Amino acid sequence: MSRQDDPWQETGSERQGVAQVYDRVARFYDLMTAPMELMGGRAARSRLMARARGRVLEVGVGTGTNLRHYPAGMDLTGVDLSPRMLQQARARVDRLGLSVQLEQGDVEQLTFPDASFDTVTATCVFCSVGNPVQGLREVRRVTKLDGRVLLYEHVRPETRLLGNLFDLLTPLTRRLVGPSINRQTERNVRRAGLRVIELRRRGIWREIVAVPEPSPGQ
C-alpha cells in the first residue's frame, strides 16, 4: 500500500494539533493563499458556490473566503475546526453584511442529523482532514439524497516524479501550514459513497460535483 493510499489516522490530540496550526496562520491565511486565488482559485470558487441551493453547509469554512460567492438569500451554515479561523470568518461576515451561522466543528464528527442539507461545500479542506474518507462520509450523510456536494481541492500529481516529491514534502507542509499535498481526493470521494457527476481537472486542481449514493434500503 502506497503512502497516499493510507490516510493519516489522527487521534483527537493530533486533530487538535491541526487546529493549532490553523490558529497560528489564521491572521495571515488570506495573504498566504492570495497567489492561488489569482491563479484560478477565485474563479473556481465563484463557479462552484454559485451552484449552491437551499439549505447549505460549508465544512472547513476557514476565513470565509467563499462567502461572497454564494447566491443571495442562502440559508448558510459554516463549520471549522479552528477558533481563530472562525474569528476571521465572523469579521468577514460583518464586513459583507451577511447572515451566516458559524460554529466550531469537526467534519469527521458532524453534529447535524442525516440528510439535513441541500448543498454541502468544501474548498481546500480535505487536504487537512486527518481521515478524509471519514470526513467525506460525514458529508454524504448530512446531504439529502437529491442534494449536491461541491468541492474544490488539490490532489497528488499524477506524474511519478512529482507524486513522489509531494509525498516527501507532505510531512513538512502538514506541520507548518496544515495541508497534506499528496491526497487522492477523487478516489476518496468515491470511497466515501459519493458519485461524481461533474469533474473539471486543471493541473493538480479539481472541481468536483457529486451526489450521495443511496445506502442499501434507501
Side-chain angles (χ1 to χ4, degrees):
M1 178 179 290
S2 65
R3 188 180 312 179
Q4 69 270 15
D5 289 335
D6 186 17
W8 183 10
Q9 304 294 309
E10 293 181 325
T11 66
S13 62
E14 286 168 326
R15 284 200 299 273
Q16 184 60 35
V18 172
Q20 290 171 353
V21 169
Y22 282 99
D23 280 347
R24 186 177 69 241
V25 303
R27 290 178 57 193
F28 314 105
Y29 185 80
D30 289 347
L31 183 62
M32 288 167 48
T33 57
M36 292 188 297
E37 293 299 291
L38 294 174
M39 292 187 293
R42 185 177 301 162
R45 294 173 189 274
S46 181
R47 278 192 297 268
L48 282 172
M49 300 309 110
R51 302 180 65 168
R53 296 292 183 270
R55 189 179 183 208
V56 182
L57 172 67
E58 181 172 340
V59 297
V61 67
T63 64
T65 306
N66 293 326
L67 298 179
R68 67 174 70 248
H69 298 300
Y70 287 101
M74 292 286 93
D75 178 3
L76 178 59
T77 300
V79 299
D80 200 276
L81 193 63
S82 163
R84 291 188 181 174
M85 294 286 273
L86 285 172
Q87 287 178 3
Q88 299 296 316
R90 291 188 178 100
R92 180 172 260 130
V93 165
D94 291 342
R95 290 196 302 270
L96 296 175
L98 301 175
S99 176
V100 182
Q101 181 177 339
L102 295 172
E103 56 188 72
Q104 189 174 0
D106 182 353
V107 68
E108 294 183 46
Q109 300 173 342
L110 293 173
T111 58
F112 306 103
D114 295 357
S116 295
F117 296 94
D118 302 287
T119 310
V120 178
T121 68
T123 60
C124 302
V125 170
F126 289 97
C127 55
S128 300
V129 175
N131 185 337
V133 175
Q134 172 58 26
L136 286 160
R137 284 175 181 147
E138 280 289 274
V139 165
R140 175 193 172 278
R141 180 183 67 78
V142 302
T143 305
K144 295 179 181 178
L145 278 178
D146 60 351
R148 292 290 185 272
V149 176
L150 309 174
L151 306 174
Y152 178 56
E153 298 284 340
H154 57 83
V155 299
R156 184 180 188 270
E158 295 179 351
T159 62
R160 178 178 294 180
L161 178 62
L162 284 178
N164 289 339
L165 177 63
F166 275 45
D167 287 344
L168 290 172
L169 291 175
T170 283
L172 182 63
T173 62
R174 184 65 165 160
R175 284 160 177 80
L176 290 181
V177 289
S180 297
I181 58 175
N182 64 345
R183 293 283 168 83
Q184 293 200 359
T185 302
E186 280 186 55
R187 179 187 303 177
N188 290 339
V189 165
R190 296 182 174 95
R191 289 175 63 194
L194 292 163
R195 177 166 56 88
V196 176
I197 60 172
E198 295 181 39
L199 176 63
R200 181 192 290 251
R201 295 186 175 103
R202 182 176 59 86
I204 64 169
W205 294 95
R206 301 292 184 269
E207 294 174 50
I208 299 170
V209 180
V211 297
E213 291 279 18
S215 299
Q218 288 184 308

